């Protein structure tokens, strides 16, 4: 019998000129980038939080503190790979994730296939297990003013079959 568990993730990063913009493991060309201790990949961060939450393994900040110098500027794909190891070492496997990115500019939809492939490779899952959607906020709020990016993720995990 499978033991299913659900986790949820939410994250926000400020956008500023002079920073690279990493999203879903790929670098987007844009005049602004996300600000953070790591590479500030908001999509990977919410995926990590949703998976960790589903497995009752706390959150990304607990495992990879933003005050720890070893994570300064780190590629978030490395963090995601570690989260997947934690998941599997605790007897779980990923069922699927469903994500939503809230971003006014740049347009995300053209990049979704490459993001899905990148994330699937890092997570060692099928691309069909990863859903990425994008929306604007119709120019409302900090996202609409292009001051930041936010993302949401729901993850379904299940106990590994022996």
């Amino acid at each position: 019998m499978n033991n299913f568990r659900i986790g949820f993730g939410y994250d926000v990063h400020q956008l500023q000129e002079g920073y690279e913009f990493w999203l879903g493991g790929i670098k987007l060309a844009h005049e602004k980038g996300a600000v953070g201790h790591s590479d500030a990949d908001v999509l990977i961060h919410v995926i990590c939080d949703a998976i960790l939450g589903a497995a009752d393994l706390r959150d990304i900040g607990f495992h990879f503190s933003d005050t720890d110098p070893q994570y300064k500027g780190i590629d978030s794909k490395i963090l995601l790979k570690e989260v997947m190891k934690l998941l599997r070492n605790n007897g779980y496997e990923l069922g699927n994730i469903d994500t939503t990115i809230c971003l006014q500019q740049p347009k995300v939809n053209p990049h979704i296939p490459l993001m899905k492939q990148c994330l699937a490779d890092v997570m060692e899952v099928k691309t069909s297990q990863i859903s990425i959607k994008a929306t604007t906020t119709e120019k409302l709020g900090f996202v609409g003013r292009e001051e930041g990016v936010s993302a949401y993720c729901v993850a379904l995990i299940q106990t590994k079959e022996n």
Side-chain angles (χ1 to χ4, degrees), residues 6-23:
I6 297 171
F8 174 76
Y10 171 74
D11 196 21
V12 172
H13 281 281
Q14 185 178 24
L15 294 176
Q16 287 186 6
E17 291 181 9
Y19 289 84
E20 293 181 343
F21 195 13
W22 288 91
L23 193 61

Side-chain angles (χ1 to χ4, degrees), residues 3-135:
N3 178 22
F4 293 100
R5 298 177 62 110
I6 297 171
F8 174 76
Y10 171 74
D11 196 21
V12 172
H13 281 281
Q14 185 178 24
L15 294 176
Q16 287 186 6
E17 291 181 9
Y19 289 84
E20 293 181 343
F21 195 13
W22 288 91
L23 193 61
I26 66 170
K27 185 177 171 184
L28 300 184
H30 193 55
E31 64 269 8
K32 291 181 179 180
V35 179
H37 185 70
S38 65
D39 64 5
D41 189 323
V42 71
L43 185 60
I44 289 181
H45 294 176
V46 297
I47 293 168
C48 289
D49 267 350
I51 291 169
L52 290 168
D56 191 24
L57 295 172
R58 311 251 337 228
D59 62 26
I60 191 172
F62 178 80
H63 293 278
F64 315 106
S65 174
D66 65 1
T67 60
D68 190 331
Q70 73 175 314
Y71 301 119
K72 179 70 177 158
I74 194 167
D75 182 338
S76 291
K77 292 186 292 293
I78 295 168
L79 305 181
L80 180 57
K81 193 168 210 51
E82 288 302 311
V83 165
M84 293 304 292
K85 282 183 194 172
L86 282 168
L87 179 72
R88 292 176 175 129
N89 288 343
N90 279 274
Y92 294 101
E93 188 53 63
L94 184 73
N96 71 296
I97 58 171
D98 184 22
T99 67
T100 301
I101 302 163
C102 302
L103 182 65
Q104 200 66 39
Q105 289 291 332
K107 295 299 180 196
V108 174
N109 280 323
H111 306 286
I112 288 175
L114 185 56
M115 287 181 191
K116 286 181 62 160
Q117 188 60 61
C118 177
L119 295 171
D121 291 347
V122 170
M123 299 169 75
E124 299 177 12
V125 299
K126 299 175 188 170
T127 57
S128 62
Q129 292 172 268
I130 299 169
S131 168
I132 301 173
K133 304 177 303 298
T135 189

